[in-house]
Each structure stands twice: as C-alpha cells, then as structure tokens.
Amino acid sequence: AQKITQTQPGMFVQEKEAVTLDCTYDTSDQSYGLFWYKQPSSGEMIFLIYQGSYDEQNATEGRYSLNFQKARKSANLVISASQLGDSAMYFCAMREGPLGASYGKLTFGQGTILTVHP
Amino acid sequence: DTGVSQDPRHKITKRGQNVTFRCDPISEHNRLYWYRQTLGQGPEFLTYFQNEAQLEKSRLLSDRFSAERPKGSFSTLEIQRTEQGDSAMYLCASSPHDQPQHFGDGTRLSIL
C-alpha cells in the first residue's frame, strides 16, 4: 500500500524568501512518480511539478524545484522567491508504476497550508 | 486550450435525494479520473476511465455511486440516496496517456 506523509499542517514565509514543504512517501514499487499540486482557496488543483523515480536529476519548473532523496523516500517542494499568490494548500501525491504504463491514479498526502506574508 | 470543466460548481440537496455531476475533460485526453476530497484532507481516488471503459473503482465507491463515460467523452458521477457522509468536493481530472493529470474546479456537494 502506498502512503504519503506531509508533516507540516501549516507553514509561514516572508515574501521573496524561499520555503521548503516536506513530503515523505512509502512504497514497495521500484517505479513510481511524485507530484506536487497547489490548491488555492477557490478549489482548483493546479499541477506544479513531477519527479519520476528513475530521474537522476531533481525536477525544476520555474520557481519550483523538487528535492528528491530516493534513499530517504522524500520529495520536498522548494519554492524560491515566494509571492503573495503562492498562499494556498499544497499537496504531495504519488502514482504507482511508470508514467506511461500505469493507470495513473494518485495517492495524496493531507496537504500543507502555506501563508506568504508581505 | 480549455481546461477540465465540472458542473455544477455547488450542489445542495436533502439527504436521500439523488445527485448527478458532470465532467468534461480536455478534449484530447483519453484518461479520466474522479476523486473525492473532504474538508482538510487530500483527494481520494474513486474511479478511472480509459476512453469509455471503467477500468478501476475504489472501495470508497459504494453501490450508491455509479460513474459513466459514454463514447469516451464527458463523464457523469451519480450518487443515489445521498447520506450526510457524502458531503465533499468531487474532483474530476483528465490526462493523455503519459502526462500528469489536470483537474477541474470540482463540484462541492452539501447534504442537508
């Protein structure tokens, strides 16, 4: 069974500073994918970044980077230069199996509420 | 590029009534997923369609729940004889064969 753990219910950061949101996972699969989604108060889930278990380099997408430590089973999201619009709920999620071969259903963590202060 | 569209955005109904939600995926996406999200929790997988075939259903999807995707385009999720515990946000997502899922804005269901 898969499990995603986000241990930070809430995080605060000053505008323009960097913040790390923690995510650990548990799986017996060798091939899997890790995702981060952002959910503003309006409710839509916005895809941010993806890391495959066999990807050797950490994923980056603009101000988002994923600190992937496979041996520790962690996939932390780093947001650089925080903006007020980054205030939202952030979810870490995992997909079992390779991206192109599995059904792709996601298992989500409980989320971390990020508040960016001016 | 229009995103995933869900209708209605909000639904308020009395316990025991039936409700139906609709999801229109991004047009070229052959995979469609339904998730349920309760307050303060992450979304939980309900069911998955590849084109018109429903290939997986979660144990969360009781007999009162049914989902369809006729012709592999839009999908509907019906809940019969609604209960208080059905109150949640119902999220639809779609993806092409090998890309991350894109979510709709969700349908928030409130049971009186």
Side-chain angles (χ1 to χ4, degrees):
Chain A
Q2 299 179 14
K3 184 176 180 182
I4 298 286
T5 303
Q6 294 181 253
T7 58
Q8 305 156 317
M11 288 287 286
F12 295 89
V13 65
Q14 206 73 24
E15 193 178 9
K16 300 180 184 178
E17 293 186 350
V19 63
T20 298
L21 306 183
D22 294 342
C23 172
T24 58
Y25 60 92
D26 184 26
T27 181
S28 55
D29 289 336
Q30 294 301 308
S31 180
Y32 50 88
L34 296 156
F35 302 77
W36 278 91
Y37 283 85
K38 172 184 178 182
Q39 188 175 42
S41 56
S42 51
E44 75 271 29
M45 296 282 285
I46 303 167
F47 166 71
L48 296 178
I49 196 166
Y50 165 77
Q51 178 88 38
S53 59
Y54 290 119
D55 294 341
E56 294 186 353
Q57 301 221 345
N58 287 343
T60 59
E61 290 286 348
R63 295 185 298 111
Y64 305 108
S65 60
L66 200 153
N67 184 2
F68 181 47
Q69 298 187 39
K70 194 170 183 177
R72 299 179 62 180
K73 293 189 174 179
S74 73
N76 298 340
L77 176 70
V78 180
I79 305 174
S80 62
S82 297
Q83 301 173 357
L84 296 178
D86 293 335
S87 293
M89 178 75 92
Y90 288 80
F91 289 100
C92 180
M94 180 165 63
R95 179 215 73 241
E96 65 177 338
L99 185 58
S102 71
Y103 290 164
K105 70 179 182 183
L106 299 176
T107 301
F108 286 83
Q110 290 193 306
T112 296
I113 299 176
L114 176 66
T115 303
V116 180
H117 289 302
Chain B
D1 176 27
T2 57
V4 177
S5 177
Q6 291 189 246
D7 184 71
R9 289 296 309 277
H10 300 94
K11 180 69 177 178
I12 301 172
T13 191
K14 293 182 179 180
R15 188 178 57 182
Q17 297 295 306
N18 299 343
V19 294
T20 300
F21 310 140
R22 177 180 171 122
C23 171
D24 287 273
I26 296 172
S27 59
E28 64 268 25
H29 290 187
N30 62 336
R31 297 184 171 194
L32 186 147
Y33 307 81
W34 285 98
Y35 293 84
R36 181 172 68 187
Q37 185 179 22
T38 53
L39 202 60
Q41 302 294 318
E44 295 175 293
F45 170 78
L46 291 179
T47 190
Y48 160 70
F49 289 86
Q50 185 162 313
N51 300 311
E52 67 275 8
Q54 187 175 21
L55 297 184
E56 188 169 354
K57 294 196 299 185
S58 164
R59 293 170 300 174
L60 294 174
L61 217 62
S62 75
D63 292 344
R64 297 185 296 105
F65 288 71
S66 62
E68 295 182 340
R69 192 184 182 193
K71 303 179 183 178
S73 56
F74 71 92
S75 175
T76 58
L77 177 67
E78 181 183 16
I79 309 174
Q80 296 181 329
R81 306 180 303 282
T82 51
E83 301 174 356
Q84 291 283 354
D86 296 333
S87 294
M89 175 79 89
Y90 290 84
L91 294 164
C92 177
S94 71
S95 72
H97 179 62
D98 58 352
Q99 295 296 322
Q101 296 169 31
H102 293 265
F103 284 78
D105 291 346
T107 293
R108 185 171 296 283
L109 174 65
S110 299
I111 307 297
L112 301 178

